[in-house]
Amino acid sequence: MIMDEEKYIDDLKSKFESYAPISRESWLQIESLITFQMLKKDDTLLRNGQVAKNIHFVCKGALRAFFTDFEGNIYNKNIFLEHDLAGSKVSLLQKTPSNFTLEALEDTVLININYTNYRKVINENDDLKAFYIAYLEKNWVIEKEEREISLVMQNATERYSKLIALHPDINQRIPQLHIASHLGITPTQLSRIRKSLKKNL
């Protein structure tokens, strides 16, 4: 039994409704698809080469999505914290092997939703279609473009400051090397940025 299940389900409902209004009937259909999962720190949720089957809502904890290049270098594609929706969207949509691995950075509680059943419910309900479109627009068009532009137009200090503004406790939770990789810089560069910002406080 997972503590605070009702709270976590309410958090997921709030996440959905932050994009579009959801009727009670539609929400009950989504809720019927929910299963909970607990991960220990360093547990693997999805392996590179594995076909994804679920969407994951982070109730508590943190995940990282990472991939390894041909030379063995590891890059963090993304970090997911509370109330984020995680998963390999391309793998889910195309039913192809994931190009990255999802790993728990902390003990983590997830809500899992089977993607095939989820899409079936969405296709049957206009309000859920509106949610799905709004979600894709925000996360796959607007935020994706903003992140791509920030990597080119913003310096590392600006990107780090933006991350801290969104997640003030991230330095206490996530190892510096993972934060640095997420920002596209080295741990040494991140250390210098943090020291510089502390001096300016």
Side-chain angles (χ1 to χ4, degrees):
M1 178 68 179
I2 292 174
M3 298 288 289
D4 299 323
E5 279 192 9
E6 287 188 13
K7 175 190 178 301
Y8 295 148
I9 291 172
D10 286 343
D11 289 343
L12 178 63
K13 186 170 187 282
S14 295
K15 179 76 172 181
F16 271 63
E17 292 183 330
S18 70
Y19 294 97
I22 306 293
S23 70
R24 183 175 181 275
E25 293 75 15
S26 293
W27 176 250
L28 288 174
Q29 291 181 63
I30 292 291
E31 195 172 346
S32 72
L33 305 178
I34 286 172
T35 60
F36 280 90
Q37 182 177 5
M38 297 181 70
L39 299 174
K40 292 291 186 184
K41 182 181 177 181
D42 298 326
D43 280 355
T44 298
L45 177 62
L46 177 72
R47 294 186 185 281
N48 180 9
Q50 180 181 355
V51 178
K53 294 182 179 178
N54 296 314
I55 297 169
H56 312 283
F57 176 74
V58 183
C59 302
K60 181 181 179 182
L63 302 171
R64 71 168 175 142
F66 70 92
F67 61 92
T68 306
D69 68 16
F70 293 115
E71 297 177 355
N73 300 306
I74 295 174
Y75 299 93
N76 282 351
K77 180 179 181 293
N78 215 333
I79 293 175
F80 301 99
L81 299 171
E82 283 85 2
H83 302 168
D84 285 337
L85 288 165
S88 177
K89 307 296 192 304
V90 172
S91 178
L92 289 168
L93 285 166
Q94 298 185 340
K95 294 182 171 57
T96 55
S98 171
N99 290 315
F100 60 81
T101 296
L102 280 171
E103 177 186 76
L105 293 174
E106 301 176 329
D107 290 352
T108 299
V109 178
L110 300 171
I111 285 176
N112 294 333
I113 301 175
N114 178 272
Y115 185 72
T116 300
N117 295 333
Y118 168 76
R119 282 300 298 268
K120 183 174 184 293
V121 169
I122 284 174
N123 290 335
E124 293 171 351
N125 295 274
D126 288 341
D127 54 344
L128 290 176
K129 287 178 185 175
F131 150 76
Y132 191 66
I133 291 168
Y135 173 79
L136 291 177
E137 287 177 343
K138 184 171 189 298
N139 292 276
W140 283 85
V141 180
I142 298 171
E143 289 188 0
K144 183 174 183 290
E145 183 174 294
E146 287 176 350
R147 179 168 168 76
E148 289 170 347
I149 290 172
S150 75
L151 286 170
V152 176
M153 301 300 292
Q154 292 182 331
N155 62 40
T157 300
E158 291 171 328
R159 297 200 302 276
Y160 175 70
S161 297
K162 184 177 179 181
L163 181 66
I164 293 300
L166 289 171
H167 306 290
D169 63 343
I170 197 168
N171 281 315
Q172 288 73 50
R173 298 177 58 186
I174 308 298
Q176 183 166 304
L177 68 96
H178 293 321
I179 296 173
S181 179
H182 177 65
L183 294 170
I185 59 177
T186 67
T188 302
Q189 287 174 299
L190 178 57
S191 181
R192 289 185 189 133
I193 289 169
R194 290 171 66 181
K195 287 177 182 176
S196 175
L197 289 174
K198 282 181 181 179
K199 285 181 184 177
N200 294 329
L201 288 177

